[in-house]
Amino acid sequence: MKFKGQASVARPQSESAKESVFVVWGVPPGSLVQVVDFPTADALLSWMQGSGLLEISDTISTSADVGHRSDIARGDVAFEAEGLPDAFVPAASPPESELDGEVPSEPTQSAPPPPQADDEPSAETSMRPAPTEPPSDALAHVSGEMPATTQKGGITVVEARLSRTELTPAPGRASATAAIQVDRDGPVWVSIAARGYRLVEGVPRVQQLSMSAGSAIDTDSTIDTVRFPMEAVDPGTAEVTLVFRQRDEFPLATLRLVSLITQHEAQDERVRAQAAAVKPEAALRELPTLRIDETVADGRSYLDVGVQVGSSHVEGRVRTVDKAGLIANVYGRIAALRAERHRFPEGEDAETKRMRALIALRAIGVDLSLRLFTPEVRQFLWDRVDELDELVIQTTGEFDIPWEIVYVSDPTRSVADEPEVFVDHFLGMRGATRWVYNTALPREVVVRRGRAKYLCPDYKGPGLALSFTREEAALIKSRLHARVVRPGTAAAMSKLMASGFDLLHFAGHGVWSDAPPDQRLLLARYRRDHPTAPDTSYAASILRQDLPDALASPRPSAPRMVFLNACDVGRIDTSVVGLGGFPEAFLRGGVGVLIGCSWAVDDEIAGAFSRHFYEALESSDIGTAMKTARSQALVDDDLSALAYVAYAHPHARVTIT
């Protein structure tokens, strides 16, 4: 079948300036599908043919009488294409306002329109109303597929499909499938996020699939397909996450595809198709959620942000140019604030000191919200700040940013006009928990006698001694019937990962190294004058070997929990493709609950936090226990309450047998 399209050529008055070709595909003519900006018509042809998406049957030629105006002059270019991809077949024409770069505040569709191209620096926000009619649910199948290897600089195409019948992936490709329940009368939106790949300019990050009557799926055997052409940027292990959504922010399915980007044409035959599909629990849809989808390529980060509270929803896309600089600034300010606490006037009472520190921390949290959220998202959060309890922060894998200290404030006024700090306006104080797509999210962790382990190193090196870890060890031993890891060495830790555990608690020092990027837990034999001595620390890079990614080595296992009560081990470094810290390694390895600490905390406060957490956990779930421990820590201290993060189902419970 042949499809007709239209192209418009825009030429500025200056002869030295380049022409700009805007290509609009439509079926029938006049029905807009998408617009792609190319510098010349030749560049358009090169991209079409080089991507392998379609074959040109007739030569494209520009109109001879295109006007030359000082702003933009448009002339139509007719062409016919054989085998136009399904990704370019429209289900409905978007509003006229999108053609001018504007996004309507209240679209008529039940899901958000596709976001702008990667290189457009503006932010966008849209509101999505709740469905007005009961959904007509039907069984459907989704799949994601892409080549297992791509050479750096090459174009690879990621395909997402929706079908009424089971889908069979092609052999030898990275692929995943999942069965889902969908509203047959509403569109299914699929979004893409990646590490190592960059979406080809002009291709929407969100595209639409449909099962409604009269759509591309009219029979059980028809498959609706969209394609995402992507450029391979960073050599090494790379991954793509496809997220299928419909009525709310919680996905119907997430498909994670891991592939290899090679420096040269020769492909590594050891690479195999790898994928996983995990559907969320329906009960999670009742909770408020902050969704962060991130694409990282060539050191650049793009964040797609969505917030949903009840039936209300808002989203905004923000381009983060220098995320590394942002993170360094935040943790530098936190470190300076901690140091300043010891220089407060001696005559100040404890409450005055506490409030002074909280005001400074609030300033950091407000700055983060200004950098990460559009004004509409900030207003949305402010209007619903009292409804954010049990907030779920769901993400494709962005955890550099300390979301727990983001502060919700009135966007119409300066916080300088608000002398009081409302501690429950920090996201962490609402009982926030985090969820990484395609990782375990158990509702219960059963800790059997003898299967709880702990390691609280007794440091002998100068400047390393911790006064309260012995009390913490006694607490873990008595409450969890835990056994100490003997000997407390890196080799013993590796052996523990191989033999398995139900719960692991570590209380000690942790460090983050930049070259090469890695995290380490410091063990009892560690000495600062010999930091690289063998068996004195346990690195996240070793953990990834001891506890392989469940995607690459699928294996059934009982839900497990890890508590790392150590500095700087609650976050991961997503700036390096395929390389993260302890949270990523544990979560990808199958651990279902992980508690960590994002920055340095005092020894006494760390011990108190774990005590309050485990005491609350005896009669409540993870989310409530975290909120209780954070609240108590805020009474005892001024910062450590928000240093702790929880990767867990908010309603997960821990049962000791």
Side-chain angles (χ1 to χ4, degrees):
M1 180 181 295
K2 293 184 178 181
F3 299 90
K4 289 187 179 295
Q6 297 292 319
S8 293
V9 181
R11 292 195 180 100
Q13 193 171 20
S14 171
E15 293 183 359
S16 61
K18 294 182 179 180
E19 63 183 3
S20 184
V21 182
F22 297 85
V23 183
V24 183
W25 284 281
V27 184
S31 175
L32 175 66
V33 183
Q34 74 179 64
V35 178
V36 184
D37 186 0
F38 292 91
T40 66
D42 288 341
L44 160 65
L45 276 172
S46 177
W47 177 78
M48 285 179 171
Q49 295 169 331
S51 66
L53 293 178
L54 53 85
E55 297 178 358
I56 305 299
S57 60
D58 293 336
T59 302
I60 298 179
S61 59
T62 57
S63 176
D65 58 354
V66 172
H68 290 264
R69 289 168 48 187
S70 59
D71 50 3
I72 291 179
R74 296 186 179 275
D76 290 334
V77 181
F79 67 94
E80 293 185 347
E82 191 86 46
L84 192 66
D86 293 338
F88 303 138
V89 177
S93 299
E96 286 265 333
S97 56
E98 290 188 35
L99 299 178
D100 298 324
E102 301 174 359
V103 179
S105 59
E106 294 188 5
T108 57
Q109 297 169 333
S110 61
Q116 296 169 318
D118 281 348
D119 290 333
E120 296 181 17
S122 61
E124 65 175 31
T125 301
S126 64
M127 298 293 294
R128 180 172 60 200
T132 57
E133 297 180 359
S136 175
D137 286 343
L139 177 65
H141 299 266
V142 293
S143 72
E145 188 174 303
M146 66 181 296
T149 60
T150 307
Q151 186 178 356
K152 179 183 177 181
I155 301 296
T156 191
V157 177
V158 181
E159 296 183 342
R161 296 186 177 93
L162 174 69
S163 173
R164 291 181 177 174
T165 57
E166 189 171 351
L167 293 162
T168 303
R173 291 165 62 87
S175 59
T177 61
I180 59 176
Q181 288 289 327
V182 301
D183 175 3
R184 69 169 71 247
D185 298 323
V188 174
W189 296 93
V190 55
S191 61
I192 191 167
R195 291 191 196 178
Y197 293 102
R198 179 169 52 218
L199 203 61
V200 169
E201 182 179 349
V203 177
R205 187 174 300 280
V206 181
Q207 298 191 45
Q208 177 181 315
L209 295 164
S210 179
M211 287 186 67
S212 61
S215 72
I217 301 185
D218 288 325
T219 66
D220 288 345
S221 61
T222 306
I223 301 173
D224 198 5
T225 304
V226 294
R227 295 178 175 85
F228 299 90
M230 307 194 78
E231 179 186 0
V233 177
D234 301 315
T237 302
E239 63 182 56
V240 167
T241 301
L242 294 170
V243 186
F244 297 82
R245 296 185 176 94
Q246 193 166 45
R247 295 189 294 269
D248 50 40
E249 279 296 347
F250 282 92
L252 299 171
T254 60
L255 308 180
R256 178 175 164 234
L257 311 176
V258 175
S259 62
L260 182 69
I261 297 177
T262 62
Q263 282 280 14
H264 308 288
E265 187 173 356
Q267 297 182 351
D268 190 338
E269 294 183 355
R270 292 173 296 175
V271 176
R272 295 292 183 267
Q274 302 174 354
V278 177
K279 293 178 291 186
E281 180 187 337
L284 288 175
R285 292 192 169 95
E286 303 298 323
L287 302 179
T289 181
L290 169 64
R291 181 259 302 168
I292 311 295
D293 292 345
E294 180 187 42
T295 289
V296 180
D298 197 24
R300 301 176 67 183
S301 174
Y302 298 88
L303 302 180
D304 285 295
V305 177
V307 187
Q308 182 163 327
V309 180
S311 60
S312 301
H313 169 273
V314 66
E315 64 181 77
R317 180 171 178 273
V318 178
R319 188 178 98 173
T320 304
V321 178
D322 181 17
K323 191 171 106 173
L326 171 68
I327 299 303
N329 175 267
V330 168
Y331 284 105
R333 291 171 68 181
I334 290 174
L337 177 55
R338 288 177 52 81
E340 185 180 353
R341 287 178 55 232
H342 301 290
R343 296 194 295 270
F344 287 160
E346 294 184 3
E348 274 190 344
D349 60 85
E351 181 59 26
T352 301
K353 292 181 180 180
R354 174 177 174 272
M355 185 55 62
R356 185 197 295 265
L358 283 175
I359 289 174
L361 187 63
R362 179 184 65 179
I364 300 174
V366 171
D367 286 349
L368 273 174
S369 69
L370 286 168
R371 294 289 300 273
L372 300 171
F373 300 148
T374 62
E376 292 84 357
V377 170
R378 294 186 66 218
Q379 185 66 54
F380 182 90
L381 289 170
W382 172 251
D383 292 341
R384 296 162 179 81
V385 65
D386 294 330
E387 303 173 52
L388 297 179
D389 284 343
E390 297 186 293
L391 177 71
V392 177
I393 304 172
Q394 55 170 306
T395 175
T396 54
E398 195 304 303
F399 287 121
D400 295 324
I401 297 171
W403 298 100
E404 286 75 13
I405 66 172
V406 170
Y407 188 87
V408 180
S409 62
D410 186 348
T412 64
R413 59 185 297 186
S414 170
V415 290
D417 299 331
E418 301 175 4
E420 183 179 0
V421 178
F422 299 96
V423 294
D424 59 352
H425 285 204
F426 289 103
L427 294 185
M429 299 308 295
R430 309 302 304 208
T433 56
R434 301 182 178 193
W435 170 36
V436 187
Y437 298 149
N438 299 96
T439 63
L441 204 65
R443 284 292 300 266
E444 182 181 24
V445 175
V446 177
V447 181
R448 296 162 289 180
R449 184 176 293 272
R451 296 282 292 178
K453 307 288 183 178
Y454 71 92
L455 182 58
C456 302
D458 185 11
Y459 298 105
K460 304 299 183 183
L464 294 174
L466 296 173
S467 304
F468 292 89
T469 53
R470 291 186 180 180
E471 295 181 13
E472 194 165 349
L475 169 74
I476 303 303
K477 184 177 180 179
S478 62
R479 287 188 176 273
L480 305 178
H481 311 297
R483 298 179 180 178
V484 66
V485 177
R486 296 186 185 278
T489 63
M493 291 289 285
S494 293
K495 184 177 179 181
L496 175 63
M497 298 306 154
S499 60
F501 58 87
D502 292 342
L503 183 146
L504 171 63
H505 184 99
F506 177 90
H509 289 295
V511 297
W512 181 277
S513 59
D514 294 324
D518 207 355
Q519 287 178 318
R520 290 183 295 153
L521 301 177
L522 305 187
L523 306 177
R525 298 179 184 177
Y526 180 83
R527 298 292 186 275
R528 286 177 173 170
D529 53 349
H530 292 91
T532 59
D535 237 14
T536 61
S537 66
Y538 185 66
S541 55
I542 301 301
L543 174 62
R544 283 192 296 275
Q545 300 175 24
D546 296 337
L547 200 64
D549 191 331
L551 181 66
S553 179
R555 58 196 180 283
S557 61
R560 292 170 290 174
M561 174 177 170
V562 173
F563 192 143
L564 300 180
N565 203 5
C567 304
D568 299 321
V569 293
R571 62 189 177 99
I572 64 176
D573 181 10
T574 54
S575 62
V576 180
V577 174
L579 180 62
F582 284 105
E584 184 177 48
F586 274 120
L587 294 172
R588 298 297 189 198
V591 168
V593 175
L594 187 138
I595 313 297
C597 200
S598 293
W599 64 78
V601 297
D602 293 337
D603 176 26
E604 181 179 3
I605 298 302
F609 185 93
S610 65
R611 182 178 70 256
H612 294 310
F613 173 77
Y614 282 118
E615 287 176 351
L617 198 59
E618 290 183 354
S619 58
S620 62
D621 53 36
I622 293 288
T624 303
M626 286 297 296
K627 187 175 181 179
T628 300
R630 284 170 179 155
S631 299
Q632 187 59 48
L634 200 63
V635 172
D636 297 338
D637 190 53
D638 52 8
L639 296 178
S640 300
L642 294 165
Y644 287 91
V645 299
Y647 303 81
H649 192 301
H651 296 162
R653 288 184 174 269
V654 177
T655 303
I656 310 298
T657 63

